[in-house]
Amino acid sequence: MIKTILRRLTPLYILVFFGVAAWLLISTKEAPEQKEEQKPVPIVDVVKVEQKTVSLNLPSYGVVTPKNKTQLVTEVKGRLLTISPNFVAGGVVKKGEQLAAIEPSDYEADLNQAQASLAQAQAALEEEIARGEVAKNDWKGYDGGLPPELGLRLPQLKKEQANVKFAQASLARAKRNLERTVIRAPFEGIIKTRIVDLGQYVTLGTNLGELYDTRIAEIRLPLANNDLAYLESVDNPDTQVTLSASLAGKTVTWTGDIIRSEGVIDAENRMVYLVAEIKDPYLREGRKEGQLPLKYGSFVTAIIKGRTVDGIVQLPRHIVRNGQVAVISADNIVEVREVNVVRTDVNNVYIKDSLQDGERVSLTKLTNISSGQLVKILGEASKNGTNLPESDIAKEQRLAAAGDQ
């Protein structure tokens, strides 16, 4: 009987035993050690600040044009008798060189006629002078006062003198018209276009072609009105300019001068135009080895030399955000510092009176960087003696140095 009861209560004993054991285990369990979660220290690349004296150069662009160009027009009429081989598009001509000639026979006849008319007028004047002398002798015994001008033939003398002047003017005009039958280049240049052909009849004012002066080229360079503050003088922007263009598969540069400002703001684009001047763009006065001519119509980029300023720090444009940079101290602590940006261009910013020589500025963009934050420097040894990973730039510099050795 007792054995039967014990056998039936055995499962209950087992449950109680395991329940007590579980309670003992739970009550004696030690709490796990609590550790603070460590945030990863950001790694940044830095650059050391160096103050320099720089020219605040201004970028611009423009198209090369001749300073002087002219339409070659006729001043007399007639048929084109000859045309110079150089009077073609692209032909280079010298000052005074004959470009074309008009049939001169009519103007030679006019010249001969004018010469004959002048000879007649001079003969008539000499005759009238002689008659005047005779009239003076006839009036010597006249006691009625001064002799009349008509009696002394003074009106007739003035008439003949006027006739001589008229004939002289006609002769001068005939000579000019004969000279104008030859069309000459008014200056050294290159022929842009020729419109007429040999044997064509031209009238007064007919356009023969266009001539570009090759002695001086000009380029109009647009600048924003605010950029004028970076020039040495706004009213007289006498400074240098460097032009560059791609010619014959390579980049070629030329040096010129800013000679003037157009002095008005363009109503369409709100820009101010400076005018640059390049002397001898076609290298007709002399060419050095490797030089190429600056051809009219070329599109060029320009760098205008601006004011020279001391104590300027030049940094990549992307690291300045909202006028602030991240300065890294010797203890690798971040200081977010306001900087005085005096100029910005496509790639760089120019800062003055904000950073000292030797200070380090972060080149790495950090989204939530703040003053007092601890950072690690890329390539700098850590406290455990290991080096942080190199940047690609640092790695290239190290490999290049090893290659040189």
Side-chain angles (χ1 to χ4, degrees):
M1 182 68 177
I2 296 173
K3 292 181 178 179
T4 303
I5 295 172
L6 292 174
R7 188 170 52 250
R8 292 180 179 178
L9 294 176
T10 298
L12 179 62
Y13 295 151
I14 294 173
L15 291 175
V16 171
F17 174 76
F18 281 106
V20 171
W23 176 80
L24 291 173
L25 290 174
I26 292 172
S27 62
T28 59
K29 180 181 179 181
E30 294 183 0
E33 183 180 357
Q34 299 292 328
K35 293 185 179 180
E36 294 183 0
E37 182 180 357
Q38 294 183 351
K39 295 182 180 179
V41 178
I43 301 173
V44 298
D45 198 1
V46 296
V47 62
K48 283 190 176 182
V49 167
E50 181 182 359
Q51 295 185 2
K52 300 178 181 178
T53 300
V54 300
S55 295
L56 301 178
N57 297 331
L58 304 172
S60 189
Y61 56 88
V63 177
V64 183
T65 58
K67 183 174 184 177
N68 300 309
K69 60 182 179 180
T70 185
Q71 300 288 337
L72 299 168
V73 297
T74 57
E75 297 179 90
V76 294
K77 59 184 180 180
R79 195 171 303 279
L80 286 176
L81 191 62
T82 61
I83 291 180
S84 170
N86 290 334
F87 190 21
V88 291
V92 178
V93 297
K94 297 180 179 180
K95 181 179 179 179
E97 181 178 341
Q98 178 176 326
L99 303 179
I102 297 173
E103 173 61 47
S105 56
D106 290 343
Y107 300 99
E108 290 173 347
D110 291 343
L111 177 62
N112 292 332
Q113 184 177 353
Q115 289 173 338
S117 297
L118 177 60
Q120 289 179 351
Q122 289 175 336
L125 176 60
E126 292 174 358
E127 181 179 352
E128 188 57 41
I129 291 174
R131 289 180 178 177
E133 292 295 330
V134 172
K136 285 182 181 179
N137 293 330
D138 293 341
W139 285 90
K140 281 184 179 179
Y142 178 68
D143 296 333
L146 295 175
E149 291 186 356
L150 186 60
L152 296 177
R153 302 188 64 83
L154 293 180
Q156 293 88 335
L157 177 63
K158 292 180 179 179
K159 177 183 176 181
E160 296 303 332
Q161 289 174 339
N163 288 338
V164 169
K165 290 182 178 181
F166 181 82
Q168 289 174 338
S170 297
L171 177 61
R173 185 182 301 109
K175 288 181 178 179
R176 288 196 303 271
N177 287 340
L178 182 59
E179 292 174 355
R180 289 167 179 170
T181 59
V182 178
I183 293 90
R184 300 184 183 276
F187 44 72
E188 293 184 6
I190 183 170
I191 302 298
K192 174 64 168 60
T193 55
R194 193 190 80 188
I195 301 175
V196 295
D197 288 317
L198 187 66
Q200 181 176 339
Y201 185 85
V202 294
T203 59
L204 187 66
T206 299
N207 186 7
L208 305 179
E210 191 171 13
L211 177 66
Y212 284 177
D213 189 355
T214 56
R215 294 171 298 178
I216 300 176
E218 284 190 346
I219 306 96
R220 297 176 71 236
L221 303 174
L223 285 179
N225 189 33
N226 293 336
D227 287 341
L228 296 179
Y230 303 116
L231 296 175
E232 292 288 354
S233 173
V234 177
D235 297 327
N236 185 24
D238 184 11
T239 186
Q240 288 187 345
V241 60
T242 301
L243 306 173
S244 60
S246 178
L247 293 179
K250 63 179 182 179
T251 301
V252 186
T253 60
W254 301 267
T255 302
D257 298 299
I258 300 294
I259 58 171
R260 70 178 186 275
S261 169
E262 293 189 353
V264 295
I265 298 177
D266 192 284
E268 296 182 358
N269 55 21
R270 311 306 301 170
M271 305 290 276
V272 177
Y273 284 87
L274 302 183
V275 179
E277 185 177 275
I278 302 292
K279 295 183 179 179
D280 192 25
Y282 277 76
L283 306 177
R284 298 192 62 185
E285 297 179 1
R287 176 183 297 190
K288 297 180 181 179
E289 185 177 356
Q291 276 189 311
L292 292 176
L294 179 58
K295 297 181 179 180
Y296 294 143
S298 300
F299 180 84
V300 294
T301 57
I303 301 297
I304 302 169
K305 184 178 180 182
R307 289 189 295 113
T308 301
V309 182
D310 298 327
I312 292 294
V313 174
Q314 179 180 337
L315 293 176
R317 182 173 179 174
H318 71 274
I319 70 173
V320 180
R321 305 177 66 183
N322 300 322
Q324 298 176 332
V325 296
V327 180
I328 310 301
S329 69
D331 298 330
N332 296 348
I333 302 299
V334 175
E335 177 194 351
V336 179
R337 186 181 300 177
E338 296 279 346
V339 291
N340 176 29
V341 178
V342 296
R343 172 155 175 76
T344 303
D345 58 26
V346 177
N347 300 315
N348 302 303
V349 294
Y350 300 89
I351 299 169
K352 184 174 175 61
D353 300 331
S354 302
L355 300 169
Q356 300 298 322
D357 283 336
E359 286 190 310
R360 300 182 300 177
V361 175
S362 172
L363 293 175
T364 305
K365 284 186 178 181
L366 299 177
T367 54
N368 296 319
I369 194 167
S370 59
S371 293
Q373 184 175 351
L374 178 66
V375 295
K376 294 180 181 180
I377 306 302
L378 192 65
E380 186 179 89
S382 62
K383 292 183 179 180
N384 60 9
T386 60
N387 290 335
L388 296 175
E390 294 183 285
S391 65
D392 292 339
I393 296 176
K395 187 180 294 184
E396 291 178 3
Q397 291 175 345
R398 178 175 58 78
L399 294 175
D404 293 338
Q405 294 175 355

